[in-house]
Amino acid sequence: QKHLQSAQQYFTLDERCSDYVDLVRDMSQLYKYLSYFEKDDDNKCKMHRRRADLLEPLNRDLSPTHYLLTIRQILFELGEIFSDMVDFKRARWQTQPTNPHFAKKVNTLVRQSILYFETFLDTMRVEGKRPEKYNDDNVRPALLAHFYIGRMYSKFVVAPNSHEELNNVNQTYEAYKSIVDYCKKHPEALEKVEEELSACSEMVKLLPVKMEQIRRNLTV
């Protein structure tokens, strides 16, 4: 970390942009790998927060005209970071499910993760529309982004049998269904997301049943 920080004094964003970006992303990966050795979930979450603090300025400051591919990679990584943080904070909320602060924190992180994955997908728009078919290099990350979005909607902490819960389950269903539909339309994509597709296919069958149960028991 010390050597990477020293290098940042030489490789600046204004004068050596590509090198600076590589250094910041290396520091993010350093925190990621260090987190594997940390046993305390709060400390792990702080490491991921540090990664987000490193990457978010890059996403804000880099020009999409010159660094579109890099921005996409950073957006996807930020989505993953906040997804990991959701898991840690949700585990903590489950120890005190009546604590509104913990629930609020989970929901804030869920929204951040969804936002970054949605923004990642938006960078692939052509004439304002998302493509019907992704190019070969983008198929797996694009479908994974949909998978993450679906998963994140299932992590919101909301009142059971509420309109909010119904909406979230429907959003999860739509995200997973988009992957199933894409692979049906473009069978060559199947091998790129085989494991995720299997899970999505199962959930697309189960979630309508769950939505119907919620509709019958709506309370809020």
Side-chain angles (χ1 to χ4, degrees):
Q1 181 182 356
K2 182 175 74 173
H3 294 301
L4 288 171
Q5 289 175 334
S6 297
Q8 278 186 291
Q9 304 303 311
Y10 177 74
F11 298 111
T12 64
L13 183 61
D14 292 331
E15 296 180 6
R16 302 289 293 272
C17 186
S18 294
D19 294 319
Y20 177 85
V21 170
D22 287 342
L23 279 171
V24 172
R25 296 185 69 192
D26 285 345
M27 290 181 69
S28 172
Q29 291 301 300
L30 174 64
Y31 281 110
K32 177 181 179 179
Y33 295 131
L34 282 173
S35 71
Y36 295 145
F37 298 97
E38 177 58 59
K39 295 181 180 179
D40 183 80
D41 282 353
D42 282 344
N43 287 336
K44 284 185 178 183
C45 206
K46 288 175 183 176
M47 289 182 178
H48 288 300
R49 178 69 257 183
R50 179 61 179 145
R51 294 176 63 203
D53 290 342
L54 287 165
L55 295 175
E56 285 181 318
L58 294 182
N59 175 55
R60 182 182 64 243
D61 296 337
L62 290 177
S63 166
T65 304
H66 301 102
Y67 294 97
L68 181 58
L69 179 59
T70 300
I71 290 171
R72 281 178 180 164
Q73 293 169 342
I74 290 170
L75 286 168
F76 194 94
E77 187 172 348
L78 283 166
E80 288 184 311
I81 288 168
F82 282 98
S83 173
D84 288 339
M85 292 171 70
V86 166
D87 291 337
F88 294 128
K89 292 300 184 182
R90 209 169 193 281
R92 186 178 183 184
W93 165 76
Q94 287 173 333
T95 66
Q96 297 183 44
T98 59
N99 188 317
H101 173 73
F102 289 170
K104 184 178 179 180
K105 187 65 176 178
V106 170
N107 291 344
T108 298
L109 294 171
V110 168
R111 292 187 190 96
Q112 281 294 103
S113 181
I114 291 172
L115 174 64
Y116 280 119
F117 283 120
E118 290 281 10
T119 308
F120 166 80
L121 290 169
D122 285 344
T123 67
M124 298 182 186
R125 287 181 179 271
V126 179
E127 297 181 351
K129 298 180 180 179
R130 290 182 181 172
E132 289 188 12
K133 184 176 182 180
Y134 296 105
N135 68 46
D136 196 55
D137 290 337
N138 290 336
V139 171
R140 178 167 173 77
L143 295 184
L144 278 182
H146 284 287
F147 185 80
Y148 270 112
I149 290 168
R151 181 175 179 272
M152 283 298 98
Y153 271 105
S154 73
K155 298 296 182 179
F156 273 115
V157 178
V158 296
N161 297 318
S162 63
H163 285 283
E164 280 186 296
E165 184 184 26
L166 180 60
N167 176 68
N168 292 337
V169 175
N170 184 61
Q171 293 284 1
T172 296
Y173 170 79
E174 291 294 340
Y176 290 163
K177 187 174 182 293
S178 70
I179 297 172
V180 174
D181 290 346
Y182 186 93
C183 290
K184 284 181 179 178
K185 192 171 184 179
H186 307 288
E188 67 277 8
L190 195 153
E191 63 181 16
K192 296 181 181 294
V193 288
E194 193 169 352
E195 185 176 338
E196 292 82 7
L197 178 61
S198 176
C200 289
S201 298
E202 188 66 22
M203 294 305 291
V204 164
K205 296 175 185 176
L206 296 174
L207 289 176
V209 177
K210 183 173 183 179
M211 285 190 282
E212 185 55 35
Q213 290 174 340
I214 296 172
R215 287 190 188 97
R216 288 200 301 266
N217 296 288
L218 278 174
T219 57
V220 180

